[in-house]
Amino acid sequence: MQTGLFQPSKSVIRVSPFEGYTSYAPYTCTQCAEGWCMTACPVGAIQINAAGAKDVMDDTCVGCKLCTIACPYGTIFYDGDTQKAYKCNLCGGAPACASACPTEAITFEDVETADWIGDFAAERTARVLAVEAR
């Protein structure tokens, strides 16, 4: 997620120390197939974008933070300034972090996006649209 500003505290890439800070490893959203953040969102603000990433729709997000609690990897965050959730959106399919990483510790693999949620998504979408229609 590019903001055009240098704000390390709002980075979607975090660094984890190992073994008493003898080594470090970057981690970010893996765009997991389970999509706990997406299924936890009560307003359907997290959708799959064209790059296959689970993307937070700012205009729909109500800032409830349920997605941040649901993510078992701790890779979706809450911005107190905007009062919205945010996470890696793969920069539209060309992640800047992967191309900028000098050691290739961060890589991007373009794989086929599967319909991992199928019937549940159709049912949830119908429910959300019914509520919005009221």
Side-chain angles (χ1 to χ4, degrees), residues 30-32 38 47-55 87-90 92-93 108 110-114 116:
T30 61
Q31 308 300 339
C32 62
M38 189 171 161
Q47 299 175 4
I48 299 175
N49 67 18
K54 280 84 177 168
D55 199 0
K87 62 183 281 311
C88 173
N89 60 11
L90 295 179
F108 173 70
D110 191 11
V111 296
E112 186 177 326
T113 303
W116 56 272

Side-chain angles (χ1 to χ4, degrees), residues 38-89:
M38 189 171 161
T39 57
C41 181
V43 295
I46 301 174
Q47 299 175 4
I48 299 175
N49 67 18
K54 280 84 177 168
D55 199 0
V56 178
M57 305 292 116
D58 285 340
D59 57 338
T60 309
C61 179
V62 295
C64 68
K65 303 180 195 173
L66 287 175
C67 55
T68 65
I69 296 166
C71 178
Y73 306 108
T75 56
I76 185 163
F77 311 101
Y78 178 78
D79 184 348
D81 295 336
T82 63
Q83 297 183 344
K84 307 282 183 181
Y86 68 99
K87 62 183 281 311
C88 173
N89 60 11

Side-chain angles (χ1 to χ4, degrees), residues 10 12-13 21 41 50 66 68 93 111 123 125:
K10 292 185 180 178
V12 295
I13 299 175
Y21 299 90
C41 181
L66 287 175
T68 65
V111 296
E123 179 186 321
T125 301

